[in-house]
Amino acid sequence: MNNFTPEFYKNIPEQELFDRITKIKKTMGDSLLILGHHYQRDEVIQFADKSGDSFALAKDAADATAKSIVFCGVHFMAETADVITNDNQNVYIPDPTAGCFLADCANIDQVEKVWKEIKKSTKDTIIPLTYINSSVDLKSFTGKHGGIVCTSSNAQKAMKWAMNRGEKLFFFPDQHLGRNSAVKMGIPLEKIIMWDYEKPNGGHSKETINSSKLILWNGYCDVHQEFDAKIIDNLRIKYPEIKIIAHAECSFEVCQKSDYIGSTKEIISRIQNSPVGSIWGVGTEKHLVNRLKNRFTDKKILFIQTYEPECKTMAQITPAHLLFQLENISNNNHINRIIVDKEKSDDALKAINRMLKL
Ligand code: 13P
Ligand code: SF4
C-alpha cells in the first residue's frame, strides 16, 4: 500500500472494508459506476459494476451516465475514460501512481522526433496508430495526424483502416502487438522495421525505410515479456492435447507457437467455451489466470511459465484504496480525479472515436 491511502485504512479488517464499500455503493446508487480491468485483484473486482478488457471498458465509459466513475485499473485507462466521458462526469483512479510499464515506453518528445525523421526519409503517407496503452499525449498526437487508437481486440481492424488511408503505418508503443497483428494480416516480416530513436534514421537505410510497410516503436510490456516459447514446447510434450492462448502483447516467438492470440476478453471466452476436461496453457497476467483456474475447475489451466507473472501496478489498488476513494467522493473531496486538458482531450477523442466506429 502506498501513501495515497491514509495509514489508518490499512488497519481496517477486510470484512469491514467490504461492508463499508458495499454500503457506500448502495447509498451512491446510479450516480456511481465502478469499472474494473480483468487484472485487478479478486478483492477489488468483486465491487466492479462492469469488468472487461481495455476496449470493453472504454465503451462502458463512453456509454456511462453516472456522475462519478471510479476506474480500478491503470492510469492510461482512467485518462482514456476522462477523454470519452462528458464534462459533467468525474473520473477517479483509487491509486493515481498505478502506471503501465508499456505506456511509459514512449513519450511525446520521442514520438515527435521520430515522426519528423520518418517524414524526412520517405514521401509516403504515414498513418500513426497508438495502442490504447499510451499516454493521452500520444493519443492526441495520433488524432492530430489522422491516426487511430487500437486495443488488443481490434489491432488488425485498426491496421486495415490505416492501410486504406496511407502507404505506411507507424505503430507505438508496443512492438509485439504491432508485429503480431501485422503478420496475422499477411504483412511479411521483411516489411516490418523497428525504429531505434537513438540512431540516425532509426538505424535504417532510406531504401529499407521506403520499402517498409510498418514502422514499430521499441516498446514492450515487462509482464508479457516473461512468457517463454520454450515452456510451450515442454507443455506440448507433457500434454499433447493442450491448447495455447497468449495475450497479443507476448513476444513474436510465443505468439507464433500459440494456437490463439488475443485480448483478455478473448482469453476468457475461449477457455469458457471449451469442453470440460480441456487443457490450456495461458500467457497473461496472474490475477486473471488464477481467477480462471478457480472458476473453471473442470479444466486444467497452466501458465506458459514456471512462475506467475504479475502486473504489480494493477495490483496496487486494494479494497482500502477503493473505500478511501468512495468515502472521499461522498464527502465531496475529489481526490485522485483525472482531468485531461481540453485541447489534448479533443484531439485524443478523434483517434479514440475512429476506433470506436470500427
Ligand atoms: P486487454 O485490453 O486485452 O485487457 O489488455 C490490457 C493490458 O494492459 C494487457 O496487458
Ligand atoms: Fe501495462 Fe503490461 Fe500491466 Fe498491461 S500487464 S497494464 S501492458 S504493464
Side-chain angles (χ1 to χ4, degrees), residues 2 9 25 33 70 87 130 155 195 258 276-277 283 316 354:
N2 62 45
Y9 272 72
K25 276 193 71 179
L33 176 71
V70 174
D87 294 346
T130 189
W195 201 270
S258 297
V276 170
Q316 275 179 222
R354 288 175 192 136

Side-chain angles (χ1 to χ4, degrees), residues 51-341:
S51 58
D53 65 1
S54 310
F55 182 68
L57 293 171
K59 282 194 72 176
D60 289 335
D63 297 341
T65 51
K67 163 97 181 117
S68 303
I69 296 162
V70 174
F71 211 122
C72 297
V74 288
H75 193 271
F76 76 82
M77 296 179 173
E79 218 175 38
T80 305
D82 185 56
V83 169
I84 299 177
T85 48
N86 68 44
D87 294 346
N88 303 320
Q89 293 172 299
N90 297 343
V91 176
Y92 308 88
I93 181 164
D95 184 346
T97 71
C100 165
F101 179 95
L102 169 56
D104 292 342
C105 285
N107 67 41
I108 188 63
D109 294 338
Q110 295 165 328
V111 168
E112 278 181 339
K113 173 178 170 280
V114 170
W115 178 251
K116 279 187 199 135
E117 287 171 6
I118 300 174
K119 289 280 226 189
K120 229 193 256 172
S121 54
T122 176
K123 292 207 164 24
D124 283 355
T125 308
I126 309 149
I127 307 292
L129 284 97
T130 189
Y131 188 23
I132 197 163
N133 295 42
S134 59
S135 69
V136 73
D137 291 325
L138 301 200
K139 293 185 180 83
S140 160
F141 169 93
T142 304
K144 229 186 309 190
H145 293 280
I148 187 165
V149 170
C150 72
T151 73
S152 55
S153 64
N154 56 30
Q156 290 183 53
K157 274 192 205 159
M159 281 186 172
K160 197 163 171 224
W161 178 96
M163 276 166 18
N164 287 335
R165 285 159 178 82
E167 287 97 12
K168 283 192 192 342
L169 316 182
F170 176 33
F171 190 99
F172 40 85
D174 188 16
Q175 57 163 301
H176 298 303
L177 178 66
R179 187 181 296 107
N180 290 326
S181 309
V183 169
K184 273 217 145 194
M185 291 176 69
I187 300 177
L189 278 176
E190 314 81 79
K191 298 266 176 202
I192 303 174
I193 60 173
M194 194 156 67
W195 201 270
D196 182 342
Y197 65 80
E198 281 172 355
K199 292 191 181 150
N201 279 334
H204 302 285
S205 66
K206 285 209 170 185
E207 295 69 43
T208 308
I209 297 169
N210 264 310
S211 67
S212 71
K213 189 80 202 147
L214 171 66
I215 301 170
L216 295 173
W217 195 265
N218 183 10
Y220 61 92
C221 160
D222 59 345
V223 181
H224 287 89
Q225 189 94 340
E226 293 185 42
F227 295 99
D228 185 348
K230 284 198 293 297
I231 306 266
I232 299 181
D233 297 337
N234 297 340
L235 287 173
R236 289 204 191 274
I237 293 168
K238 194 161 176 202
Y239 305 101
E241 68 277 48
I242 199 167
K243 292 283 178 219
I244 304 289
I245 187 158
H247 194 277
E249 287 170 13
C250 289
S251 70
F252 185 64
E253 294 70 29
V254 165
C255 289
Q256 284 294 297
K257 289 194 173 204
S258 297
D259 298 291
Y260 308 102
I261 60 172
S263 68
T264 51
K265 183 180 173 198
E266 182 168 354
I267 293 172
I268 296 167
S269 72
R270 287 219 182 255
I271 295 178
Q272 182 175 7
N273 296 325
S274 65
V276 170
S278 301
I279 305 178
W280 287 94
V282 186
T284 201
E285 204 272 343
K286 79 169 215 185
H287 289 94
L288 172 56
V289 178
N290 286 328
R291 192 170 305 128
L292 292 170
K293 284 187 187 198
N294 293 334
R295 190 170 153 202
F296 302 111
T297 48
D298 54 358
K299 297 168 193 177
K300 193 174 185 68
I301 299 171
L302 303 155
F303 284 90
I304 315 173
Q305 200 27 294
T306 51
Y307 53 92
E308 302 182 355
E310 178 185 36
C311 179
K312 296 207 165 43
T313 47
M314 280 279 184
Q316 275 179 222
I317 295 174
T318 66
H321 288 82
L322 181 56
L323 178 63
F324 181 61
Q325 183 67 66
L326 297 179
E327 292 192 341
N328 272 280
I329 297 172
S330 26
N331 291 328
N332 233 0
N333 290 331
H334 301 283
I335 58 148
N336 303 336
R337 188 176 159 202
I338 302 291
I339 306 175
V340 178
D341 163 283

Side-chain angles (χ1 to χ4, degrees), residues 4-15:
F4 281 91
T5 308
E7 275 303 290
F8 63 86
Y9 272 72
K10 275 200 230 171
N11 303 322
I12 301 176
E14 189 171 72
Q15 193 54 52

